[in-house]
Amino acid sequence: MARDVLLGGSSALLAARLADRLLACGAGRVTIVTPPGRPPARMGGAASPDDRPRDPRLLVVDAGPSGDLPEGVRADAVWLLTGDAGPVPGRDARADAALARSVIARLPALGAAGVVHVTADELCRPHGADARPVDAVVARLHTAVEEEVAAACAEHGLGHRLVHTVSPVDALPPSGTLSALDPAAPAGAVPNTGVAPHTGVVPPAAWPGDPVPAGLHRFLAALRSVVDEVTARAPDYFVTRPLRCLLPPESAVRLTPMDEVTRVLVELADDPETAGGRFRLAASEVVPADGLLRRIGDVYGVRLLPVHDPAELDPIDRLLHDRLTGFLAEPSPWTGCRETTTGPLVSGPPAQRALLRRMRRAQEAAAETARDRQERLPARLVRTTIDVAGRPLTYHLAVPSTVPPALPPAMPRRAPAGGGPGTEPIVLLNALGQGLAFWHPLIDRLSARRRVLVVDPRGPEDDGPASVPGLDDHVDDLEAVLKNEGVERCHLVGWCTGPKQAVRFAVRRPDVVASMVFLNGSFRAEGGHDDLDTPYERNLDYLCRTLARRPDQAGRLLRLFGGEDPPASRPGEVLALTNGALREEVRAPFLSAQTLVPYALQMLAFWDDDVSAEAGQVRVPVLAVGAEHDRIVSTPRLRAAAARFPSGCFVHLRGATHQCLYDRAAVLAGLIEEFVADPAAMASSDVVAGLAGEVDR
């Protein structure tokens, strides 16, 4: 048994279980390194955020933005635990690759005698020309890193083991502590082997949408996300409708208990005869997929229907399929590997239902934690009011709510990667007439590692057109906010009307802007004749122009907007509905004549200013994100606008609405974080579409 061990990679759940086992077996110190882009350690990425005692031999540290290890880390043995996947699997694979390459470059300095590289077999199968970009990217990265690990170990004379796991499952209670099974657990359930809970390390799903192991965990995470998104729009949708799952005929799943995975991994690492070997670690028996789907449906209250033809999928079914990177893949054609089976198995329907109930309880606990944190977000935002040209302007700041974990004397302290005061912040530019509630889930995620500034556009001082701020006034406000915060360079993220403000500011202050992201950006301009208006935009144009002439008509015209969504019966129509939690927020400008008239004047001023001719002057990378079911602004116009920027790219979010920053916060946070980390490298729709299954060009 190695004295000091380093565990690094996206598989935080496996790292937690392996740390427990290694410490129980006599390891001197276990250092868990969270990869770039994951929540910092004290936000639930790997270690318990509560006050439970933790084994002093456990250390949790964060990798740098490029995967670099903290200085001073030493290890007798290195484990690279990769292959977990979340809503943005391509980003998770890139983070794993960055951390692995950093470790490889540091092998001589680490003092390690060997490396064990573990990844998910489901993510390593080759894909043909018809493969989704994300699947090809993930497979290519994981297989390339495996070969790089083997080559580096050979160069330095170190032993290595390459291991593929097949659907590891964890039947632990939501608290995340290792404990005996419930007394009422049925026969055949995954037993506990008596490993003591030394570390207090907990499962990593502090946020729904964080990476989870491939296989069953991945399926349940995708299922939960789809069910939650659909029922937020149509609560009774799944009462009468099934959710179809695309499966090959006679497909099966191997459920490999996580405790058995860690036992076999430690045995392989301790056996000198296994050095240089390749191993596929899976349960010896298979579970028919159709039976497992029935049991999942029983536990989740959704009828899951297996189908074999992609043509049978409706838009909601396809959304589930888009999110299933790392589930039910055929074994990878890995040459020269040794098949290694485990036991005991999760055998029999009662044991599988017990396992599924535990996994669902863990999801519910994570979702409750996320809800509580988001409810506390407004109190965490720092509200600042400044004077701009004699008028007060209020903006908000969110900062990383973590502190660096305690480091040993040999390791220097540093702020969480991306969270230091000198890091380029993300500046969010809100839409005209809308509140901050739309942004809360995205702010919660983005502020884990960076400062996030939120700038609301100011409204008119009265009902007269002369008091309506123009685009240049909003740019003045943004410049004043950045000056007050001492921001020398930043990334701009604008929603709806916000991108126009971003473009004008980037032209005025190109030295300050590092990149721009347009979320469902509106580039509508007065006098434009592209015939790309949505019905909403045409109706809003009529309303605003009428009110500019006849403000007394506001009460009558309120009926045009702010009502209920049209009836929806088809799956695509359901996806286009507004999330129930946002329906009052969406109506905010249309609640009364007192709010409607100023909003109408603001929109007319917005349309009067066309920035399309300025796009060619913007030299920074631009990512434009459109939504399939955006009823508010024209997605085709946004696509055309993105093409006018020299370094602009456009991607499409399938099944999403204008409010995707709320509904798809996990996906958008991943896309934004990956983009701003290296805008030049990501400024291509092909590259961005390789990050997530629900993103296309």
Side-chain angles (χ1 to χ4, degrees):
M1 172 61 62
R3 190 176 69 84
D4 291 338
V5 181
L6 184 149
L7 307 177
S10 63
S11 297
L13 182 55
L14 177 56
R17 302 301 158 247
L18 192 57
D20 273 323
R21 185 173 292 277
L22 291 171
L23 289 170
C25 293
R29 172 181 286 162
V30 174
T31 301
I32 297 177
V33 182
T34 60
R38 291 297 301 275
R42 292 189 62 83
M43 289 196 68
S48 172
D50 60 25
D51 295 326
R52 283 176 290 162
R54 184 181 300 138
D55 192 304
R57 296 172 295 166
L58 174 72
L59 179 68
V60 184
V61 298
D62 301 321
S66 300
D68 49 301
L69 294 176
E71 294 297 328
V73 171
R74 298 290 185 272
D76 302 310
V78 172
W79 296 72
L80 296 173
L81 308 175
T82 71
D84 279 18
V88 191
R91 181 170 188 256
D92 302 323
R94 287 165 62 94
D96 275 335
L99 179 57
R101 287 163 178 159
S102 174
V103 170
I104 290 171
R106 290 272 303 277
L107 276 178
L110 287 173
V115 178
V116 181
H117 184 277
V118 183
T119 196
D121 193 69
E122 294 91 339
L123 299 180
C124 295
R125 61 183 297 209
H127 297 275
D130 59 343
R132 300 183 309 170
V134 63
D135 295 322
V137 165
V138 168
R140 184 168 59 249
L141 281 169
H142 283 301
T143 54
V145 169
E146 282 182 331
E147 297 308 316
E148 292 172 29
V149 167
C153 287
E155 177 185 352
H156 297 293
L158 306 179
H160 72 274
R161 286 115 178 129
L162 305 180
V163 183
H164 286 190
T165 59
V166 177
S167 191
V169 294
D170 192 289
L172 300 179
S175 64
T177 57
L178 287 168
S179 59
L181 285 176
D182 295 336
V190 182
N192 183 280
T193 59
V195 178
H198 285 274
T199 65
V201 175
V202 301
W207 284 337
D210 277 354
V212 295
L216 181 61
H217 280 272
R218 180 73 235 125
F219 181 86
L220 296 181
L223 172 64
R224 170 99 188 204
S225 69
V226 170
V227 170
D228 286 352
E229 191 166 332
V230 171
T231 54
R233 291 159 170 71
D236 298 328
Y237 180 84
F238 291 114
V239 173
T240 58
R241 294 175 180 264
L243 183 59
R244 298 171 187 83
C245 306
L246 185 64
L247 302 176
E250 300 181 359
S251 55
V253 180
R254 295 179 184 268
L255 303 179
T256 313
M258 188 73 78
D259 199 43
E260 279 293 293
V261 170
T262 62
R263 181 186 65 80
V264 175
L265 286 175
V266 171
E267 289 178 357
L268 289 174
D270 285 345
D271 184 356
E273 297 298 319
T274 62
R278 298 170 179 240
F279 307 89
R280 181 161 30 225
L281 202 165
S284 58
E285 295 181 8
V286 299
V287 178
D290 55 353
L292 182 61
L293 285 183
R294 286 195 299 272
R295 290 182 277 282
I296 293 172
D298 292 343
V299 171
Y300 280 78
V302 178
R303 185 159 61 96
L304 299 174
L305 183 65
V307 298
H308 311 312
D309 184 353
E312 297 183 63
L313 301 179
D314 66 33
I316 291 176
D317 305 330
R318 186 158 292 281
L319 188 58
L320 174 64
H321 178 68
D322 287 343
R323 296 178 180 179
L324 285 182
T325 295
F327 175 71
L328 209 66
E330 294 296 321
S332 61
W334 213 24
T335 58
C337 73
R338 192 175 92 189
E339 303 291 340
T340 305
T341 58
T342 69
L345 304 174
V346 187
S347 59
Q352 291 164 24
R353 287 192 180 92
L355 170 69
L356 293 166
R357 283 193 291 269
R358 287 169 178 252
M359 295 172 79
R360 185 179 181 187
R361 287 199 298 271
Q363 288 181 328
E364 290 170 348
E368 183 63 29
T369 298
R371 282 192 295 270
D372 288 346
R373 190 176 54 251
Q374 288 180 23
E375 288 175 1
R376 295 194 301 269
L377 180 67
R380 186 160 63 88
L381 294 176
V382 179
R383 190 173 186 267
T384 302
T385 300
I386 59 176
D387 180 89
V388 182
R391 295 180 57 191
L393 173 70
T394 299
Y395 65 91
H396 297 82
L397 171 67
V399 297
S401 59
T402 65
V403 295
L407 299 177
M411 298 173 64
R413 293 183 175 273
R414 68 179 187 189
T423 301
E424 295 170 349
I426 293 175
V427 181
L428 308 180
L429 305 177
N430 200 12
L432 292 170
Q434 300 298 328
L436 294 186
F438 298 95
W439 291 94
H440 284 171
L442 191 57
I443 294 171
D444 189 33
R445 291 176 178 274
L446 293 176
S447 63
R449 286 182 176 269
R450 288 180 181 265
R451 288 186 297 161
V452 176
L453 284 161
V454 191
V455 182
D456 257 329
R458 71 166 81 239
E461 293 181 330
D462 53 48
D463 291 344
S467 72
V468 176
L471 189 58
D472 287 327
D473 297 314
H474 295 309
V475 170
D476 291 341
D477 292 345
L478 174 57
E479 189 165 15
V481 168
L482 299 183
K483 180 179 179 180
N484 194 62
E485 289 293 323
V487 174
E488 297 178 354
R489 196 159 174 81
C490 65
H491 304 273
L492 301 179
V493 179
W495 174 50
C496 190
T497 58
K500 269 193 182 182
Q501 181 184 356
V503 172
R504 181 64 55 81
F505 181 80
V507 171
R508 181 191 293 186
R509 294 297 309 273
D511 56 311
V512 176
V513 181
S515 73
M516 295 192 292
V517 179
F518 303 157
L519 304 179
N520 301 102
S522 173
F523 284 88
R524 189 179 192 273
E526 172 63 19
H529 300 287
D530 54 13
D531 296 322
L532 295 178
D533 278 357
T534 63
Y536 180 97
E537 287 173 312
R538 287 193 292 270
N539 289 337
L540 185 61
D541 181 90
Y542 167 78
L543 179 146
C544 292
R545 298 195 184 286
T546 300
L547 289 178
R549 298 189 306 269
R550 297 285 306 278
D552 59 299
Q553 295 294 305
R556 181 179 65 83
L557 293 174
L558 280 173
R559 294 193 299 271
L560 279 177
F561 287 85
E564 296 293 331
D565 282 318
S569 57
R570 298 177 180 178
E573 295 172 340
V574 170
L575 289 177
L577 295 174
T578 302
N579 187 304
L582 296 177
R583 284 172 187 156
E584 289 305 313
E585 296 288 337
V586 169
R587 296 189 187 106
F590 310 102
L591 291 178
S592 68
Q594 288 70 35
T595 59
L596 182 57
V597 172
Y599 178 68
L601 297 176
Q602 282 183 290
M603 291 307 301
L604 290 174
F606 171 77
W607 291 328
D608 279 342
D609 212 324
D610 187 1
V611 300
S612 59
E614 300 168 39
Q617 303 175 51
V618 175
R619 299 301 173 186
V620 299
V622 172
L623 172 63
V625 182
E628 180 180 4
H629 298 297
D630 192 340
R631 292 173 168 172
I632 306 300
V633 307
S634 170
T635 299
R637 183 182 287 125
L638 176 61
R639 182 190 293 270
R644 289 194 287 267
F645 292 88
S647 297
C649 72
F650 173 88
V651 293
H652 191 242
L653 204 55
R654 283 198 294 274
T657 69
H658 188 67
Q659 295 82 29
C660 61
L661 68 168
Y662 184 92
D663 299 315
R664 303 282 180 92
V667 174
L668 284 176
L671 296 181
I672 292 169
E673 287 167 345
E674 194 72 0
F675 184 76
V676 302
D678 191 352
M682 296 298 296
S684 162
S685 60
D686 290 335
V687 176
V688 179
L691 296 178
E694 59 203 88
V695 177
D696 57 25
R697 296 178 285 274

